[in-house]
Coordinates of all heavy atoms in Angstrom, one line a residue:
M286 N 61.0 13.2 -12.1 CA 60.2 13.7 -12.9 C 60.5 15.2 -13.3 O 60.9 15.8 -12.4 CB 58.7 13.7 -12.3 CG 57.6 14.1 -13.1 SD 56.1 13.7 -12.5 CE 55.0 14.9 -13.3
S287 N 60.3 15.6 -14.5 CA 60.6 17.0 -14.9 C 59.6 17.9 -14.3 O 58.6 17.6 -14.1 CB 60.8 17.0 -16.3 OG 61.7 16.1 -16.8
E288 N 60.1 19.2 -14.3 CA 59.2 20.2 -13.8 C 58.1 20.5 -14.9 O 58.4 20.6 -16.1 CB 59.9 21.6 -13.7 CG 59.1 22.8 -13.3 CD 60.0 24.0 -13.2 OE1 61.1 24.0 -13.2 OE2 59.3 25.1 -13.3
Q289 N 56.9 20.6 -14.5 CA 55.7 20.7 -15.5 C 55.7 22.1 -15.8 O 55.9 23.1 -15.1 CB 54.5 20.2 -14.9 CG 54.3 18.8 -14.6 CD 54.3 18.0 -16.0 OE1 53.5 18.2 -16.8 NE2 55.3 17.1 -16.2
L290 N 55.5 22.4 -17.1 CA 55.3 23.8 -17.8 C 53.8 24.2 -17.6 O 52.9 23.4 -17.7 CB 55.8 23.8 -19.1 CG 57.3 23.3 -19.3 CD1 57.6 23.4 -20.8 CD2 58.2 24.4 -18.6
T291 N 53.7 25.5 -17.6 CA 52.3 26.1 -17.5 C 52.0 26.7 -18.9 O 53.0 26.9 -19.7 CB 52.2 27.2 -16.5 OG1 53.1 28.3 -16.8 CG2 52.5 26.6 -15.0
A292 N 50.8 27.1 -19.1 CA 50.5 27.9 -20.3 C 51.4 29.2 -20.6 O 51.8 29.4 -21.6 CB 49.0 28.2 -20.4
E293 N 51.6 29.9 -19.4 CA 52.6 31.0 -19.7 C 53.8 30.7 -19.9 O 54.5 31.4 -20.8 CB 52.5 31.8 -18.1 CG 51.3 32.4 -17.8 CD 50.3 31.4 -17.1 OE1 50.7 30.3 -16.8 OE2 49.2 31.8 -17.0
D294 N 54.5 29.5 -19.6 CA 55.7 29.1 -20.0 C 55.8 28.9 -21.5 O 56.8 29.2 -22.2 CB 56.2 27.8 -19.3 CG 56.3 28.0 -17.8 OD1 56.7 29.1 -17.4 OD2 56.1 27.0 -17.0
V295 N 54.7 28.3 -22.0 CA 54.7 27.8 -23.4 C 54.4 29.0 -24.5 O 55.1 28.9 -25.5 CB 53.6 26.7 -23.6 CG1 53.4 26.3 -25.0 CG2 53.9 25.5 -22.7
V296 N 53.9 30.0 -23.9 CA 53.6 31.1 -24.8 C 54.9 31.7 -25.6 O 54.8 32.0 -26.8 CB 53.0 32.3 -24.1 CG1 52.9 33.6 -24.8 CG2 51.6 31.9 -23.6
G297 N 56.0 31.8 -24.9 CA 57.1 32.3 -25.5 C 58.1 31.2 -26.2 O 59.1 31.6 -26.6
M298 N 57.7 30.0 -26.2 CA 58.5 28.9 -26.8 C 58.3 28.7 -28.2 O 57.3 29.0 -28.8 CB 58.2 27.6 -26.0 CG 58.5 27.7 -24.5 SD 57.9 26.1 -23.7 CE 58.9 24.9 -24.2
T299 N 59.4 28.3 -28.9 CA 59.4 28.0 -30.3 C 58.8 26.5 -30.5 O 58.6 25.8 -29.4 CB 60.8 27.9 -30.9 OG1 61.5 26.9 -30.4 CG2 61.6 29.3 -30.7
E300 N 58.4 26.2 -31.7 CA 57.7 25.0 -31.9 C 58.8 23.8 -31.5 O 58.3 22.8 -30.9 CB 57.4 24.8 -33.3 CG 56.7 23.6 -33.7 CD 56.4 23.4 -35.2 OE1 56.4 24.4 -35.9 OE2 55.9 22.3 -35.6
W301 N 60.1 24.0 -31.8 CA 61.0 23.0 -31.4 C 61.1 22.9 -29.9 O 61.1 21.7 -29.4 CB 62.4 23.5 -32.0 CG 63.4 22.5 -31.7 CD1 63.7 21.2 -32.3 CD2 64.3 22.4 -30.5 NE1 64.8 20.6 -31.7 CE2 65.1 21.3 -30.5 CE3 64.5 23.3 -29.4 CZ2 66.1 21.0 -29.7 CZ3 65.5 23.0 -28.5 CH2 66.3 21.9 -28.6
Q302 N 61.0 23.9 -29.1 CA 61.1 23.8 -27.7 C 59.8 23.2 -27.2 O 59.9 22.4 -26.2 CB 61.2 25.2 -27.1 CG 62.5 25.9 -27.3 CD 62.5 27.4 -26.8 OE1 61.5 28.0 -27.2 NE2 63.6 27.7 -26.1
I303 N 58.7 23.4 -27.8 CA 57.5 22.8 -27.3 C 57.6 21.3 -27.5 O 57.1 20.5 -26.7 CB 56.2 23.5 -28.0 CG1 56.0 24.9 -27.5 CG2 55.0 22.5 -27.7 CD1 55.1 25.6 -28.3
N304 N 58.0 20.9 -28.7 CA 58.1 19.4 -29.0 C 59.2 18.8 -28.0 O 58.9 17.6 -27.6 CB 58.6 19.2 -30.5 CG 57.4 19.6 -31.4 OD1 56.4 19.5 -31.2 ND2 57.8 20.0 -32.7
E305 N 60.3 19.5 -27.7 CA 61.2 18.8 -26.7 C 60.5 18.7 -25.4 O 60.7 17.7 -24.7 CB 62.5 19.8 -26.6 CG 63.4 19.6 -27.9 CD 63.9 18.1 -27.9 OE1 64.5 17.7 -27.0 OE2 63.8 17.5 -28.9
A306 N 59.8 19.7 -24.9 CA 59.1 19.7 -23.7 C 58.1 18.5 -23.6 O 57.9 17.9 -22.6 CB 58.5 21.0 -23.4
R307 N 57.4 18.4 -24.7 CA 56.3 17.3 -24.8 C 57.1 16.0 -24.8 O 56.6 15.0 -24.0 CB 55.6 17.4 -26.2 CG 54.5 16.4 -26.2 CD 53.6 16.5 -27.4 NE 52.7 17.8 -27.3 CZ 52.8 18.8 -28.1 NH1 53.6 18.9 -29.2 NH2 52.0 19.8 -27.9
R308 N 58.1 15.8 -25.5 CA 59.0 14.5 -25.5 C 59.4 14.3 -24.2 O 59.5 13.1 -23.6 CB 60.1 14.7 -26.6 CG 60.8 13.3 -26.6 CD 62.1 13.5 -27.5 NE 63.1 14.5 -27.1 CZ 63.9 14.4 -26.1 NH1 63.9 13.2 -25.4 NH2 64.8 15.3 -25.8
E309 N 59.8 15.3 -23.4 CA 60.4 15.1 -22.0 C 59.3 14.9 -21.0 O 59.6 14.7 -19.7 CB 61.2 16.2 -21.5 CG 62.6 16.4 -22.4 CD 63.2 17.8 -22.2 OE1 62.6 18.6 -21.5 OE2 64.2 18.0 -22.8
G310 N 58.1 15.0 -21.4 CA 57.0 14.8 -20.5 C 56.6 16.0 -19.7 O 55.9 15.9 -18.6
R311 N 57.2 17.2 -20.0 CA 57.0 18.4 -19.2 C 55.6 19.1 -19.5 O 55.3 20.1 -18.9 CB 58.2 19.4 -19.4 CG 59.4 18.7 -18.9 CD 60.7 19.4 -19.2 NE 60.6 20.9 -18.8 CZ 61.2 21.9 -19.2 NH1 62.0 21.7 -20.2 NH2 61.1 23.2 -18.8
L312 N 55.0 18.6 -20.5 CA 53.6 19.2 -20.8 C 52.5 18.3 -20.5 O 51.3 18.6 -20.8 CB 53.6 19.5 -22.4 CG 54.5 20.6 -22.9 CD1 54.4 20.7 -24.4 CD2 54.2 21.9 -22.2
D313 N 52.7 17.3 -19.7 CA 51.6 16.2 -19.3 C 50.5 16.9 -18.7 O 49.4 16.7 -19.0 CB 52.2 15.1 -18.6 CG 53.2 14.3 -19.4 OD1 53.1 14.4 -20.7 OD2 53.9 13.4 -18.8
D314 N 50.9 17.8 -17.6 CA 49.7 18.3 -16.8 C 48.9 19.4 -17.6 O 47.7 19.4 -17.5 CB 50.3 19.1 -15.6 CG 50.8 18.2 -14.5 OD1 50.5 16.9 -14.7 OD2 51.5 18.7 -13.5
L315 N 49.7 20.2 -18.4 CA 49.0 21.1 -19.3 C 48.1 20.4 -20.4 O 47.1 20.9 -20.6 CB 50.1 22.1 -20.0 CG 49.5 23.2 -20.8 CD1 48.5 24.1 -20.0 CD2 50.6 24.0 -21.5
T316 N 48.5 19.4 -20.9 CA 47.9 18.5 -21.9 C 46.6 18.0 -21.3 O 45.5 18.1 -21.9 CB 48.7 17.5 -22.6 OG1 49.8 18.0 -23.2 CG2 47.9 16.7 -23.6
A317 N 46.7 17.5 -20.1 CA 45.5 16.9 -19.5 C 44.5 18.0 -19.1 O 43.3 17.8 -19.2 CB 45.9 16.2 -18.1
Q318 N 45.0 19.2 -18.7 CA 44.1 20.3 -18.4 C 43.3 20.8 -19.6 O 42.2 21.0 -19.6 CB 45.0 21.5 -17.9 CG 44.8 21.7 -16.5 CD 45.5 23.1 -16.1 OE1 46.5 23.5 -16.9 NE2 45.1 23.7 -15.1
L319 N 44.0 20.9 -20.8 CA 43.4 21.3 -22.0 C 42.5 20.4 -22.7 O 41.6 20.7 -23.4 CB 44.5 21.8 -23.0 CG 45.3 23.0 -22.5 CD1 46.4 23.2 -23.5 CD2 44.4 24.1 -22.4
S320 N 42.6 19.1 -22.2 CA 41.9 18.0 -22.9 C 40.5 17.8 -22.1 O 39.6 17.1 -22.6 CB 42.6 16.6 -22.9 OG 42.9 16.2 -21.7
K321 N 40.4 18.4 -20.9 CA 39.1 18.3 -20.3 C 38.0 19.1 -21.0 O 38.2 20.2 -21.7 CB 39.3 18.9 -18.9 CG 40.1 18.2 -17.9 CD 40.0 18.9 -16.5 CE 41.1 18.5 -15.6 NZ 41.0 19.3 -14.4
P322 N 36.8 18.5 -20.9 CA 35.7 19.3 -21.6 C 35.4 20.6 -20.8 O 35.6 20.7 -19.6 CB 34.5 18.3 -21.4 CG 34.8 17.4 -20.3 CD 36.4 17.3 -20.4
P323 N 35.1 21.7 -21.5 CA 35.0 23.0 -20.8 C 33.7 22.9 -20.0 O 32.7 22.2 -20.3 CB 34.8 23.9 -22.0 CG 34.4 23.1 -23.1 CD 34.9 21.8 -23.0
S324 N 33.8 23.7 -18.9 CA 32.6 23.8 -18.1 C 32.0 25.2 -18.4 O 32.7 26.2 -18.3 CB 33.0 23.7 -16.6 OG 32.0 23.9 -15.7
H325 N 30.8 25.2 -18.5 CA 30.1 26.4 -18.7 C 29.3 26.9 -17.5 O 28.6 27.8 -17.5 CB 29.1 26.3 -19.9 CG 29.7 26.0 -21.2 ND1 30.6 26.9 -21.8 CD2 29.8 24.9 -21.9 CE1 31.1 26.3 -22.9 NE2 30.5 25.1 -23.0
A326 N 29.5 26.2 -16.3 CA 28.9 26.5 -15.1 C 29.6 27.7 -14.5 O 30.8 28.0 -14.6 CB 29.0 25.3 -14.1
L327 N 28.8 28.6 -13.9 CA 29.3 29.8 -13.2 C 29.4 29.7 -11.8 O 28.8 28.8 -11.1 CB 28.2 31.0 -13.5 CG 28.1 31.2 -15.0 CD1 26.8 32.2 -15.2 CD2 29.2 31.8 -15.7
P328 N 30.3 30.4 -11.1 CA 30.3 30.4 -9.6 C 28.9 30.9 -9.2 O 28.3 31.7 -9.7 CB 31.5 31.3 -9.3 CG 31.8 32.0 -10.5 CD 31.1 31.3 -11.7
F329 N 28.6 30.4 -7.9 CA 27.4 30.8 -7.3 C 27.4 30.8 -5.8 O 28.4 30.2 -5.3 CB 26.2 29.8 -7.7 CG 26.2 28.5 -7.2 CD1 25.5 28.2 -5.9 CD2 27.1 27.5 -7.7 CE1 25.6 26.9 -5.4 CE2 27.1 26.3 -7.2 CZ 26.4 25.9 -6.1
T330 N 26.7 31.5 -5.1 CA 26.6 31.5 -3.7 C 25.3 30.8 -3.2 O 24.3 31.1 -3.7 CB 26.7 32.9 -3.1 OG1 27.8 33.6 -3.6 CG2 26.7 33.0 -1.6
V331 N 25.5 29.8 -2.3 CA 24.3 29.2 -1.7 C 23.6 30.1 -0.7 O 24.3 30.6 0.2 CB 24.8 27.8 -1.0 CG1 23.5 27.2 -0.3 CG2 25.3 26.9 -2.0
P332 N 22.4 30.4 -1.0 CA 21.7 31.4 0.0 C 21.6 30.7 1.3 O 21.5 29.5 1.5 CB 20.3 31.6 -0.7 CG 20.2 30.8 -1.9 CD 21.6 30.0 -2.1
T333 N 21.4 31.7 2.3 CA 21.3 31.2 3.6 C 19.8 31.4 4.1 O 19.2 32.5 3.8 CB 22.1 32.1 4.6 OG1 23.5 32.0 4.1 CG2 22.0 31.6 6.1
D334 N 19.2 30.5 4.9 CA 17.9 30.6 5.4 C 17.8 31.5 6.5 O 18.6 31.3 7.5 CB 17.4 29.2 5.8 CG 15.9 29.1 6.2 OD1 15.4 30.2 6.5 OD2 15.5 28.1 6.5
P335 N 17.1 32.7 6.3 CA 17.2 33.7 7.4 C 16.7 33.2 8.8 O 17.1 33.7 9.8 CB 16.3 34.9 6.8 CG 15.7 34.4 5.6 CD 16.3 33.0 5.2
A336 N 15.8 32.2 8.7 CA 15.2 31.6 9.9 C 16.2 30.9 10.7 O 16.2 30.8 11.9 CB 13.9 30.8 9.6
T337 N 17.0 30.0 10.1 CA 17.9 29.1 10.8 C 19.3 29.4 10.6 O 20.1 29.0 11.4 CB 17.7 27.6 10.2 OG1 18.1 27.7 8.8 CG2 16.3 27.2 10.3
G338 N 19.7 30.4 9.6 CA 21.0 30.7 9.4 C 21.9 29.6 8.7 O 23.0 29.7 8.4
Q339 N 21.1 28.5 8.3 CA 21.8 27.3 7.6 C 21.7 27.6 6.1 O 20.8 28.2 5.6 CB 21.1 26.1 7.9 CG 21.2 25.8 9.4 CD 22.7 25.4 9.8 OE1 23.4 24.7 9.1 NE2 23.1 26.0 10.9
P340 N 22.6 27.0 5.4 CA 22.6 27.0 3.9 C 21.3 26.5 3.4 O 20.8 25.3 3.9 CB 23.7 26.3 3.3 CG 24.7 26.1 4.5 CD 23.8 26.2 5.8
V341 N 20.7 26.9 2.3 CA 19.5 26.5 1.7 C 19.9 25.2 0.9 O 20.8 25.2 0.1 CB 18.7 27.5 0.8 CG1 17.5 26.8 0.0 CG2 18.3 28.7 1.7
P342 N 19.2 24.0 1.2 CA 19.6 22.9 0.3 C 19.3 23.1 -1.1 O 18.3 23.6 -1.5 CB 18.7 21.8 0.8 CG 17.7 22.4 1.8 CD 18.1 23.8 2.1
Q343 N 20.3 22.7 -2.0 CA 20.1 23.0 -3.5 C 19.4 21.7 -4.1 O 19.7 20.6 -3.8 CB 21.5 23.3 -4.0 CG 22.1 24.5 -3.5 CD 21.3 25.8 -3.9 OE1 21.2 26.1 -5.1 NE2 20.7 26.4 -2.9
L344 N 18.6 22.0 -5.1 CA 17.8 21.1 -5.8 C 18.3 20.9 -7.2 O 18.8 22.0 -7.8 CB 16.3 21.3 -5.8 CG 15.7 21.2 -4.3 CD1 14.3 21.6 -4.4 CD2 15.9 19.9 -3.6
G345 N 18.3 19.8 -7.9 CA 18.7 19.7 -9.3 C 17.6 19.6 -10.2 O 16.4 19.8 -9.9
A346 N 18.0 19.4 -11.5 CA 17.0 19.4 -12.6 C 15.9 18.4 -12.4 O 14.7 18.6 -12.7 CB 17.7 19.1 -14.0
A347 N 16.3 17.2 -11.9 CA 15.3 16.1 -11.7 C 14.2 16.6 -10.7 O 13.0 16.4 -10.8 CB 16.0 14.9 -11.1
A348 N 14.6 17.3 -9.6 CA 13.6 17.8 -8.6 C 12.7 18.9 -9.2 O 11.5 18.8 -9.1 CB 14.3 18.4 -7.5
L349 N 13.3 19.7 -10.1 CA 12.5 20.8 -10.7 C 11.5 20.2 -11.7 O 10.3 20.5 -11.7 CB 13.4 21.7 -11.5 CG 12.7 22.8 -12.3 CD1 11.9 23.7 -11.3 CD2 13.7 23.7 -13.0
A350 N 11.9 19.1 -12.4 CA 11.0 18.5 -13.3 C 9.8 17.7 -12.6 O 8.7 17.6 -13.1 CB 11.8 17.5 -14.3
A351 N 10.1 17.3 -11.4 CA 9.0 16.6 -10.7 C 8.0 17.5 -10.0 O 7.1 17.1 -9.5 CB 9.7 15.7 -9.7
M352 N 8.4 18.8 -9.9 CA 7.5 19.8 -9.2 C 6.4 20.4 -10.1 O 6.6 20.5 -11.3 CB 8.4 20.9 -8.7 CG 9.3 20.5 -7.5 SD 10.2 22.0 -7.0 CE 11.1 21.3 -5.7
G353 N 5.3 20.8 -9.4 CA 4.3 21.4 -10.1 C 4.6 22.9 -10.1 O 5.7 23.3 -9.5
P354 N 4.0 23.7 -11.0 CA 4.3 25.2 -11.0 C 4.4 26.0 -9.7 O 5.4 26.7 -9.5 CB 3.3 25.7 -12.0 CG 2.5 24.6 -12.5 CD 2.8 23.4 -11.7
E355 N 3.4 25.7 -8.9 CA 3.5 26.5 -7.6 C 4.6 26.1 -6.7 O 5.3 26.8 -6.2 CB 2.1 26.3 -6.9 CG 0.9 27.0 -7.6 CD 0.3 25.9 -8.6 OE1 0.6 24.7 -8.6 OE2 -0.5 26.4 -9.5
E356 N 4.8 24.8 -6.6 CA 6.0 24.3 -5.8 C 7.3 24.7 -6.4 O 8.1 25.1 -5.6 CB 5.8 22.7 -5.8 CG 6.9 22.1 -4.8 CD 6.7 20.6 -4.8 OE1 6.1 20.0 -5.7 OE2 7.3 20.0 -3.9
A357 N 7.4 24.7 -7.7 CA 8.6 25.1 -8.2 C 8.9 26.6 -8.0 O 10.0 27.1 -7.7 CB 8.6 24.8 -9.9
T358 N 7.8 27.5 -8.2 CA 8.0 28.9 -8.0 C 8.4 29.2 -6.5 O 9.2 30.0 -6.3 CB 6.7 29.7 -8.3 OG1 6.3 29.3 -9.7 CG2 6.7 31.2 -8.1
A359 N 7.8 28.4 -5.6 CA 8.1 28.6 -4.2 C 9.6 28.2 -3.9 O 10.3 28.8 -3.1 CB 7.2 27.7 -3.3
A360 N 10.0 27.1 -4.4 CA 11.4 26.7 -4.4 C 12.4 27.6 -5.0 O 13.5 27.9 -4.4 CB 11.7 25.3 -5.1
I361 N 12.1 28.2 -6.0 CA 12.9 29.2 -6.7 C 13.1 30.5 -5.8 O 14.2 31.0 -5.6 CB 12.4 29.5 -8.1 CG1 12.6 28.4 -9.0 CG2 13.1 30.8 -8.7 CD1 11.8 28.5 -10.4
R362 N 12.0 31.0 -5.3 CA 12.1 32.0 -4.4 C 12.8 31.8 -3.2 O 13.3 32.7 -2.5 CB 10.6 32.5 -4.1 CG 9.9 33.2 -5.3 CD 8.5 33.7 -4.9 NE 7.9 34.3 -6.1 CZ 6.7 34.3 -6.4 NH1 5.7 33.8 -5.5 NH2 6.2 34.9 -7.4
A363 N 12.7 30.5 -2.7 CA 13.5 30.2 -1.5 C 15.0 30.0 -1.8 O 15.8 29.8 -0.8 CB 12.9 28.9 -0.9
G364 N 15.4 30.1 -3.0 CA 16.8 29.9 -3.4 C 17.3 28.5 -3.5 O 18.5 28.3 -3.6
K365 N 16.4 27.6 -3.7 CA 16.8 26.1 -3.8 C 17.4 25.7 -5.2 O 17.8 24.7 -5.3 CB 15.6 25.2 -3.5 CG 15.2 25.5 -2.0 CD 14.1 24.4 -1.6 CE 13.8 24.6 -0.1 NZ 12.8 23.6 0.3
F366 N 17.3 26.7 -6.2 CA 17.8 26.4 -7.5 C 19.0 27.3 -7.8 O 19.3 27.5 -9.1 CB 16.7 26.4 -8.5 CG 15.7 25.3 -8.4 CD1 14.5 25.6 -7.9 CD2 16.1 24.0 -8.6 CE1 13.5 24.6 -7.7 CE2 15.2 23.0 -8.5 CZ 13.9 23.3 -8.0
A367 N 19.7 27.9 -6.8 CA 20.9 28.7 -7.2 C 21.9 28.0 -7.9 O 22.5 28.6 -8.9 CB 21.4 29.4 -5.9
A368 N 22.2 26.9 -7.5 CA 23.2 26.0 -8.3 C 22.8 25.7 -9.7 O 23.5 25.8 -10.6 CB 23.6 24.8 -7.4
L369 N 21.6 25.3 -9.8 CA 21.0 24.9 -11.1 C 21.0 26.1 -12.1 O 21.4 26.0 -13.2 CB 19.6 24.3 -11.0 CG 19.1 23.7 -12.2 CD1 19.9 22.5 -12.8 CD2 17.6 23.2 -12.0
S370 N 20.6 27.3 -11.5 CA 20.6 28.4 -12.4 C 21.9 28.9 -12.9 O 22.0 29.6 -13.9 CB 19.7 29.5 -11.8 OG 20.4 30.0 -10.6
A371 N 23.0 28.5 -12.2 CA 24.4 28.9 -12.5 C 24.9 27.9 -13.3 O 26.1 28.0 -13.8 CB 25.2 29.1 -11.2
G372 N 24.3 26.7 -13.7 CA 24.7 25.8 -14.7 C 25.3 24.5 -14.1 O 25.8 23.7 -14.7
H373 N 25.1 24.3 -12.7 CA 25.6 23.3 -11.9 C 24.4 22.4 -11.8 O 23.3 22.7 -11.5 CB 26.1 23.5 -10.6 CG 27.3 24.5 -10.6 ND1 28.6 24.0 -10.7 CD2 27.4 25.8 -10.7 CE1 29.4 24.9 -10.6 NE2 28.8 26.2 -10.7
D374 N 24.5 20.9 -12.1 CA 23.5 20.0 -11.8 C 23.7 19.4 -10.5 O 24.8 18.9 -10.1 CB 23.2 19.0 -12.8 CG 21.9 18.2 -12.8 OD1 21.1 18.8 -12.0 OD2 21.8 17.2 -13.3
V375 N 22.7 19.5 -9.6 CA 22.9 18.9 -8.3 C 22.4 17.4 -8.3 O 21.2 17.2 -8.6 CB 22.1 19.7 -7.2 CG1 22.3 19.2 -5.9 CG2 22.7 21.2 -7.3
Q376 N 23.2 16.6 -7.9 CA 22.8 15.1 -7.7 C 22.1 14.9 -6.4 O 22.7 15.2 -5.4 CB 23.9 14.1 -7.9 CG 24.6 14.3 -9.3 CD 23.8 14.0 -10.4 OE1 22.9 13.1 -10.4 NE2 23.9 14.9 -11.5
Q377 N 20.8 14.4 -6.4 CA 20.1 14.2 -5.2 C 20.6 13.0 -4.4 O 20.9 12.0 -5.1 CB 18.7 14.2 -5.4 CG 18.1 15.4 -6.1 CD 18.3 16.7 -5.4 OE1 18.1 16.9 -4.2 NE2 18.9 17.7 -6.1
A378 N 20.7 13.0 -3.1 CA 21.1 11.8 -2.4 C 19.9 10.8 -2.4 O 18.7 11.1 -2.6 CB 21.3 12.3 -0.9
G379 N 20.3 9.6 -2.4 CA 19.3 8.5 -2.5 C 18.5 8.4 -1.2 O 19.0 9.0 -0.2
P380 N 17.4 7.6 -1.2 CA 16.6 7.5 0.1 C 17.3 6.7 1.3 O 18.1 6.0 1.0 CB 15.3 6.8 -0.4 CG 15.7 6.2 -1.8 CD 17.0 6.9 -2.3

């Protein structure tokens, strides 16, 4: 298998060189990377429960939708929606 090229490698290449690299399969990884849908999620830090020192369990959009206003406010203050507020949807484990 040929060595895969990176975006930095391709920047200085001519159109002919790019076509040759594509024909040789040296752009397969880069093409796959670029064809992925973009993620708009931001990095986040899971808060730690001060009482236990354990990470606070993260809740997703479905959990938020099922909560009443007071319960949702308490969960937000407890840091249970850090992942969701950063753009990550958390899938809840089944029963």
Side-chain angles (χ1 to χ4, degrees):
M286 184 168 158
S287 302
E288 177 185 346
Q289 292 292 302
L290 298 175
T291 64
E293 290 81 16
D294 297 328
V295 175
V296 168
M298 295 172 71
T299 66
E300 184 177 352
W301 181 84
Q302 290 171 317
I303 292 171
N304 287 334
E305 282 297 301
R307 184 175 287 121
R308 185 184 59 74
E309 294 168 357
R311 296 173 57 206
L312 292 177
D313 292 346
D314 288 352
L315 184 59
T316 302
Q318 253 183 334
L319 295 174
S320 65
K321 288 183 192 175
S324 172
H325 299 291
L327 302 172
F329 70 98
T330 302
V331 176
T333 304
D334 184 346
T337 63
Q339 297 295 314
V341 174
Q343 295 297 294
L344 300 175
L349 180 60
M352 291 180 177
E355 295 84 18
E356 188 181 13
T358 301
I361 291 167
R362 288 188 179 144
K365 294 184 178 185
F366 292 109
L369 186 62
S370 65
H373 300 266
D374 192 18
V375 179
Q376 300 300 320
Q377 302 303 312

